[in-house]
Structures are given as C-alpha cells and as structure tokens.
Amino acid sequence: MKRYGLHGRRTMAFGVFLVVLLGCLETNDFGASIDYFGSVRQRLVTDGFDAARVNALYRDPKAAFEVRGISMYFVHSEGRLNYDQFLDPAMIRKARRYMTLHRETLETAERDFGVDPGVITAILLVETRLGTYVGNRRVINTFSTMAALSDSAVRDALWNAISGNTALSRDAFEAKALRKSSWAYDELKSFLRYTRRYNIDPLSVKGSYAGALGYCQFLPSNILKLGRDGNRDGHLDLFDHADAIASVASYLKHHGWRPGLSDQKAADVVYTYNHSRYYVNTVLKITKKLEG
C-alpha cells in the first residue's frame, strides 16, 4: 500500500513553478460548464449510499473540485524528501518528550500489539511531526476530485489546463488519470463509511494532498480495517493521540511486526507503511536513537 505523508520539502525551483502554474489554473475559467461531481454522485447512489445525503453533501459550497491538489499528481515527479531533518537532535528530543507524555498509551500499545514504542513514535514523527502538521485539504474534496476523472469531460478539462506543463503524453495522462480515479473512488467510499459510522461531518476532515489523514496519516481504506480506539471511548479518531498510537501499532502488527524482529524484517514491515527505503531507514534510525 503506497502511503503519502507530509514530510520534507520540494526544491525551490519546483515551488516557484507550481505556484505559477496553479495560479494560472485558478484564474482561468476551468471547465465552468462541467458538473464535476455528477458522475461521482451517481456512482455513490448506485453503490448504495443514501441519495439525499449524497446530494446534500455535494450541494454544500465546501465540496469543491480541487484543481490545485489534483494537478500535483500530473505536473511533476516528486523528488527525494528531506527525511534527514527528523534525525536532528532537536527532533529526537521532541520525540523523547512525546514518549514521556504518552508513556502509558505507548506501553498499552506494546502490550496489546507487541510493537515497540520507539518505532510507533518514529513513524508519528516522520508522518506529521507528532501530530502537529496534518495537512489542510478537505479529504472528501481530494478523493471526489480524483474520482471525478472517470468522467471524460473532466479529464479533458484537466488535460487542457495542464498539457503545456507536464512531461506526460496524452495517453500516459489518460492511463494515470483512470488508475488514480479508480483508487480514489474506493477511498472515497471508505471515507464516507467511516465518517458515517462515527457521526463525523465528512466536510470537516482535512488531510494531505493525497487524502491521508490523522496524526498517523492513514488512508480511509485502512481506518476501519486497522484503526483502533486506543482510549476506548467508542470513537475512532485518528486526530487523537491514543487512537493514532494504537492504530499504528495495529497496522504494524497486521503486516508482520513481532517482538525481537531482525533489522531486515523490521525494515520490511515499515516499508508497508511507506514504500520508500529512505523513509524506512530514517524511521529505523530514529527508533534506535530513541532506544539509546
């Protein structure tokens, strides 16, 4: 499962380029006549979601087509992220303080799932700086926008807007858009089921540009499957430290974490959380520093 966190910075050159490009997208009349979410609404109703709820949700002005976010998938190849920042002594001190503050919760997670407190803390540090940087995009807009690319009119409008600024051919764009659309639609359904089960306003939840949410940056498809109610209040809230800690532990256990794993086995399990060896090496280096 590929995951997307909020760590690192892109190059200054790309930052300037993206600002210019997205400024153009926002000032242009981007497909104003298109019912962006029409196909998404219809598919959700066909798949059993309540029609009145779906229509009310997408009538809300906060439900918006995110040109800025969706373009990031097509106008650049993301470079190597600056994970080294998390090995800075100041960051390690923050992680140690976090472990002290949440000692009982981390010990409970270790007892219930067999996962070391250090590796849980390391993941939370790299993902969201221990819950202090969780993203500011509405999750429902992220997945709805990407899911809408199943509509050829929406794809055409986006291609016309970005074709001069992407290295992708039209065929490559089409293939990527359709692949991302299918993935995003499944995530959207999972997100709506999660928010419905726990009586959460889906328009209130914000996350990364790829839709990962909470202190642990879970994708919705993993929340109901692997998320855990760490404080046992009957509410699964990944913006709660106890729930986020328990959910990371649950995820790692599900993917093979056991007490006393070899370094290679530990690396393989952490790789399932984020398919980057640089990420994995950083998490394990932080873990060792926290154990020292």
Side-chain angles (χ1 to χ4, degrees), residues 76 80 103 106 116 131 134 136 182 206 245 251 254 275:
H76 79 290
R80 179 163 152 159
R103 179 178 57 83
L106 287 163
D116 300 348
V134 296
N136 58 9
S182 177
K206 294 185 179 181
I245 286 169
Y251 183 98
H254 176 81
H275 291 183

Side-chain angles (χ1 to χ4, degrees), residues 111-125:
R111 184 171 60 252
D112 291 347
F113 300 100
V115 178
D116 300 348
V119 73
I120 298 171
T121 303
I123 285 174
L124 293 173
L125 178 65

Side-chain angles (χ1 to χ4, degrees), residues 183-217:
W183 165 79
Y185 181 65
D186 286 341
E187 293 295 339
L188 174 62
K189 290 190 293 183
S190 294
F191 177 69
L192 291 176
R193 289 176 182 130
Y194 162 65
T195 55
R196 177 61 177 157
R197 177 177 297 185
Y198 290 100
N199 196 29
I200 299 168
D201 176 6
L203 290 163
S204 71
V205 184
K206 294 185 179 181
S208 74
Y209 86 92
L213 62 102
Y215 299 155
C216 52
Q217 291 291 277

Side-chain angles (χ1 to χ4, degrees), residues 39-51 54 185 189:
S39 63
V40 174
R41 294 196 309 271
Q42 183 177 12
R43 291 172 73 189
L44 287 171
V45 172
T46 299
D47 285 343
F49 288 85
D50 181 77
V54 168
Y185 181 65
K189 290 190 293 183

Side-chain angles (χ1 to χ4, degrees), residues 222-254:
N222 278 311
I223 297 176
L224 292 178
K225 181 171 66 175
L226 298 174
R228 294 295 181 267
D229 176 14
N231 59 12
R232 295 174 172 80
D233 66 352
H235 190 79
L236 178 53
D237 178 8
L238 298 185
F239 295 91
D240 174 90
H241 287 286
D243 289 6
I245 286 169
S247 295
V248 172
S250 168
Y251 183 98
L252 295 178
K253 178 181 180 180
H254 176 81

Side-chain angles (χ1 to χ4, degrees), residues 245-275:
I245 286 169
S247 295
V248 172
S250 168
Y251 183 98
L252 295 178
K253 178 181 180 180
H254 176 81
H255 287 279
W257 190 281
R258 301 292 184 272
L261 280 182
S262 67
D263 288 347
Q264 183 57 56
K265 290 291 187 181
D268 291 343
V269 174
V270 175
Y271 185 78
T272 68
Y273 208 93
N274 185 311
H275 291 183

Side-chain angles (χ1 to χ4, degrees), residues 25-101:
L25 290 180
E26 288 182 342
T27 55
N28 289 342
D29 184 16
F30 180 79
S33 63
I34 298 173
D35 180 6
Y36 298 117
F37 296 142
S39 63
V40 174
R41 294 196 309 271
Q42 183 177 12
R43 291 172 73 189
L44 287 171
V45 172
T46 299
D47 285 343
F49 288 85
D50 181 77
R53 289 183 181 276
V54 168
N55 290 328
L57 179 61
Y58 286 101
R59 279 197 303 268
D60 192 297
K62 292 190 290 294
F65 190 86
E66 291 280 2
V67 180
R68 179 183 292 269
I70 199 174
S71 299
M72 295 177 72
Y73 284 96
F74 301 102
V75 301
H76 79 290
S77 295
E78 188 163 7
R80 179 163 152 159
L81 300 174
N82 178 23
Y83 290 114
D84 288 342
Q85 64 186 296
F86 299 105
L87 297 169
D88 184 88
M91 284 287 188
I92 299 302
R93 287 194 295 272
K94 289 180 180 179
R96 289 187 188 279
R97 288 196 294 270
Y98 184 89
M99 292 181 72
T100 298
L101 181 63

